[in-house]
Amino acid sequence: MTVDSIPHARSSALGHRGWLVLITLCGATFMTGLDYSVVTVALPEIGRDLGFASAGSLQWVATACLLPTAGLLPLFGRVSDIVGRRRLFALGVVLFGGFSLAAALATGPALLIAARAGQGASAAMITPTAIALMTAAFPEGPRRTRALGVNGVVLSLGFVLGTLGGGVITSGLNWRWTMLLLAAISVLVLPGTTTLPRAAGTRAPTRLDVPGAVLASVGLFALVYGISTGADAGWLSLPTLGSLSAALLSLSAFFLAERRHPAPLIPLGLLNRPTVKWSGLVGLVTLGMCGGTTVLLSLYMQDVLGYSALATGTGFLAEGIAALIAGVLAARLIAALGTARAMSLGLAVQGLGTGAMVFLPVKGGLPLVLATSGAMGFGHVLTVVSFIATMTSGLRDDEQGTAGGLSQLPQFLGGIGTAALAAIVTARAGALSSTTDPAHATLGGLHAATLAAGLLCLAATALPLLIRTTPLGPPRGVSKSGTYLASR
C-alpha cells in the first residue's frame, strides 16, 4: 500500500489515525450534503430579505450551486489524479469556506447567486477527491467498506439534518446563519487535511484532456439544467428542449472525442468495466428514486397532512436513523453477502419501503411515513455503500480520482428520477381532479409515483448479477508501489 495508507488492512478496526482521516473526509462530505438541503427551507426568507423578483429567480439560489458541481465533477476527478488529491481537496475546502462566508454577507441576488456558484465549483473539487483519498487510505477490504459506510451515513444525515436544521436556524436566527454554519465547518475540516495521504501512488504522467473536459462539463451542465428547470418551464418549452439537445450533442461529441484522445478525461475502458457501468446504473436508480421519493414525502406531509416545514423536517428523522443503522451494518452485510448481493438486498428493501407508500392515507399517516421512509433509508444507504465499494475496487491508483468523480455523479443526475416521479404525480392527480377533492387527487398521484419508484428499485435488483465482482476479503496481489490490487 502507499506510504500513507492506514495499516492493518485485513482488520475492520479503523485505528486512531484512520478515524482522523475519516472524520476529515466525512466532515467535508457532510458539509457539501448539508449545503444542498439547508438552503431549501430558507429560500422564502432569502427572497424577502434580498428582494428576489420572482420564485423562478429565487430558485437559482439552489440551482446555481448544483450546476457547477455536476458539470465539473469529471474534470476535477481527473485533475486530482494529475496534481494530487490532498492538494485539490484542501483547496476545495478553503474555497468552499470562503464562498460560504461571501454568501452570508451577500447584499443582493447577484452576489448571492455568484457565491452559490462558487460553492458548487468548490464542492466539485471536494467530492471526488474525498472518495479517492478514502480508497487510498483504506485498501480494499472490510476497513474500506466500513469507511464508505460511515461516509454514506454522513452524506444522508447531511441532507436530512439540513432540512430540519435549516428550519430551526431560519426560524430562530436568519438565513445568513446557514451560510455561516457552512463556513465554520470548513474551518474545522481544514486542519484535518494534514492527516490525509500525501502521495497515493504515482500521479498520472499526462496532460489534461481539455476538449474532453469542455465537452463533458457543457454536456452535464446542460443536462442538469434541463432537468432542474424543465418542470417549471415546461418539458416542451424552447429553453428545456434546447438545453437537453445541447446536452445530447455535447455528450455525444465527448464520447467520440474520447475514443481518439491519447489521454482521455474518462478512459472508455474504465467506463466499460462491468463494475463501473452496472454499479453506476444501480447508483442512478437508488439515488434518483430515493431523492424523488423524499420530495414526494415532503409534498405529502405539507399538502395532504398539513404539516409545517419544521414538522416535515422532523418527519424525516426515521429515514436518518435508518441510514445510520445501515451505515453501521453495511461492512458486515457486504462481508457476509458480497457487494453484488448487498446491492440487490439494499435495492429490494428500498423498493419494498417505497412501494408500501401506496398505502399512505389522507389523514394520520405519520406512523406509516416513519416506517416506509425508514425502510427506504436503510436500503438506500446499503445500496450506496455497495455500489461505491464496487466502482472503486480493482482499479489502478491513477484511476481512483476519475472513479471517485463517476461514483458521485449519479446523485446529481438523480434529478432525472425526481422529474419523472413529479410527472407521474401531475398526470395522475390531473386525471383524478374532476372526480375528487384536491387532497385525494394529490394523494392518488403520490400513490402512483411511489408505486412506480418501488417497482423500478425491485426490477433493478437484477443489475448486480451483471457485475463480475471480486471478493472484498484479503487482497491477492500488490502493486510495485505496495498498493493492494484486486485480481482482475
Side-chain angles (χ1 to χ4, degrees), residues 195-237:
T195 68
L196 301 178
R198 290 189 298 272
T202 57
R203 297 177 188 171
T206 58
R207 293 183 298 175
L208 183 65
D209 173 17
V210 176
V214 171
L215 289 170
S217 298
V218 170
L220 289 172
F221 187 98
L223 177 60
V224 175
Y225 175 79
I227 295 169
S228 301
T229 61
D232 292 329
W235 292 107
L236 297 180
S237 66

Side-chain angles (χ1 to χ4, degrees), residues 2 28 32 61 110 127 146 151 162 191 207 226 232 245 294 298 313 373 413 416 419 440 475:
T2 64
T32 56
V61 176
T127 49
R146 186 177 181 187
N151 185 72
R207 293 183 298 175
D232 292 329
S245 298
T294 299
S298 178
S373 65
L413 298 183
I416 297 172
H440 282 89

Side-chain angles (χ1 to χ4, degrees), residues 2-17:
T2 64
V3 294
D4 281 327
S5 294
I6 310 300
H8 313 300
R10 298 185 184 185
S11 169
S12 63
L14 298 180
H16 176 69
R17 188 181 170 211

Side-chain angles (χ1 to χ4, degrees), residues 276-332:
V276 173
K277 65 182 179 182
W278 296 121
S279 58
L281 185 55
V282 166
L284 186 62
V285 171
T286 185
L287 286 159
M289 293 303 99
C290 184
T293 303
T294 299
V295 172
L296 298 186
L297 282 178
S298 178
L299 179 66
Y300 171 71
M301 285 187 277
Q302 293 186 71
D303 289 3
V304 178
L305 299 183
Y307 287 4
S308 67
L310 184 57
T312 298
T314 306
F316 288 113
L317 286 179
E319 183 179 341
I321 294 171
L324 176 63
I325 296 171
V328 171
L329 297 179
R332 295 180 183 179

Side-chain angles (χ1 to χ4, degrees), residues 65-364:
C65 185
L66 176 66
L67 293 178
T69 307
L72 296 175
L73 267 178
L75 170 62
F76 284 126
R78 186 57 175 161
V79 167
S80 73
D81 288 332
I82 298 174
V83 306
R85 293 164 199 152
R86 187 170 78 162
R87 182 182 303 176
L88 187 63
F89 179 84
L91 177 61
V93 171
V94 170
L95 291 176
F96 190 93
F99 282 117
S100 297
L101 181 59
L105 300 176
T107 56
L111 292 176
L112 179 60
I113 289 174
R116 293 286 294 162
Q119 285 178 306
S122 305
M125 298 180 186
I126 294 170
T127 49
T129 50
I131 294 296
L133 285 165
M134 198 172 294
T135 58
F138 304 102
E140 286 184 43
R143 301 179 75 243
R144 179 185 291 183
T145 307
R146 186 177 181 187
L148 289 172
V150 174
N151 185 72
V153 169
V154 168
L155 183 60
S156 295
L157 288 179
F159 283 106
V160 174
L161 294 180
T163 303
L164 180 60
V168 173
I169 293 172
T170 303
S171 300
L173 299 168
N174 62 56
W175 69 269
R176 296 182 188 274
W177 285 93
T178 61
M179 298 294 104
L180 289 173
L181 174 63
L182 296 172
I185 295 175
S186 71
V187 172
L188 294 175
V189 168
L190 189 59
T193 59
T194 59
T195 68
L196 301 178
R198 290 189 298 272
T202 57
R203 297 177 188 171
T206 58
R207 293 183 298 175
L208 183 65
D209 173 17
V210 176
V214 171
L215 289 170
S217 298
V218 170
L220 289 172
F221 187 98
L223 177 60
V224 175
Y225 175 79
I227 295 169
S228 301
T229 61
D232 292 329
W235 292 107
L236 297 180
S237 66
L238 185 60
T240 301
L241 291 177
S243 179
L244 295 178
S245 298
L248 178 62
L249 292 173
S250 297
L251 293 176
S252 298
F254 167 75
F255 285 111
L256 290 175
E258 296 301 271
R259 291 180 180 275
R260 301 178 181 179
H261 200 282
L265 184 74
I266 302 177
L268 296 185
L270 172 65
L271 203 58
N272 283 328
R273 289 188 182 188
T275 52
V276 173
K277 65 182 179 182
W278 296 121
S279 58
L281 185 55
V282 166
L284 186 62
V285 171
T286 185
L287 286 159
M289 293 303 99
C290 184
T293 303
T294 299
V295 172
L296 298 186
L297 282 178
S298 178
L299 179 66
Y300 171 71
M301 285 187 277
Q302 293 186 71
D303 289 3
V304 178
L305 299 183
Y307 287 4
S308 67
L310 184 57
T312 298
T314 306
F316 288 113
L317 286 179
E319 183 179 341
I321 294 171
L324 176 63
I325 296 171
V328 171
L329 297 179
R332 295 180 183 179
L333 289 172
I334 290 173
L337 301 174
T339 52
R341 290 180 180 176
M343 261 188 282
S344 291
L345 175 62
L347 284 168
V349 174
Q350 180 181 343
L352 291 173
T354 306
M357 292 177 190
V358 74
F359 299 110
L360 289 173
V362 74
K363 292 183 179 179

